[in-house]
Amino acid sequence: QVQLVESGGGLVQAGGSLRLSCAASGRTFSCYYMAWFRQAPGKEREFVANIRSSDDTTFYVDSVKGRFTIFRDNAKNTVYLQMNSLKPEDTAVYYCACAVRRGVVPIYDYWGQGTQVTVSS
């Protein structure tokens, strides 16, 4: 079992920055991929970014490329999402997720409870 706890959300003006944290506990070594997703009101959950544990390869959805950075601190079992140049359309609940299976397409087994990010115009 893996437990994930997000923090760092809040209210920020457009153009501002936030850093989200995802603290993992339990069998954290089993997470081959760690990822961030988001869900805006009335919309489906959307993939934002992920990082692969074997080589720290990262992947981003096009809408956040150049603005968001995912990185990890293995000593703290924590994954971060640095969000810069935030836009109102980035407003959503952000979720951290862990994928255990080492497939080409990650399937996420564990999820955090989410943290709210609100960007005002």
Side-chain angles (χ1 to χ4, degrees), residues 67-111:
R67 300 189 298 123
F68 290 10
T69 303
I70 185 171
F71 61 100
R72 59 198 293 150
D73 183 334
N74 290 331
K76 296 182 178 180
N77 286 328
T78 300
V79 173
Y80 302 92
L81 185 68
Q82 177 67 43
M83 306 186 295
N84 298 329
S85 302
L86 282 161
K87 304 175 181 180
E89 50 264 43
D90 294 318
T91 294
V93 177
Y94 282 72
Y95 297 90
C96 177
C98 154
V100 173
R101 283 158 283 188
R102 300 189 175 201
V104 174
V105 178
I107 299 174
Y108 294 92
D109 308 284
Y110 300 100
W111 295 83

Side-chain angles (χ1 to χ4, degrees), residues 13 25 33-34 36 38 52 77 83 86 97 103:
Q13 288 188 334
S25 60
Y33 292 95
M34 293 291 295
W36 288 95
R38 65 186 180 187
R52 188 165 62 193
N77 286 328
M83 306 186 295
L86 282 161

Side-chain angles (χ1 to χ4, degrees), residues 36-38 46-50 59-61 64 68 81 94:
W36 288 95
F37 287 75
R38 65 186 180 187
E46 169 189 42
F47 169 85
V48 176
N50 71 7
F59 185 79
Y60 299 89
V61 67
V64 307
F68 290 10
L81 185 68
Y94 282 72

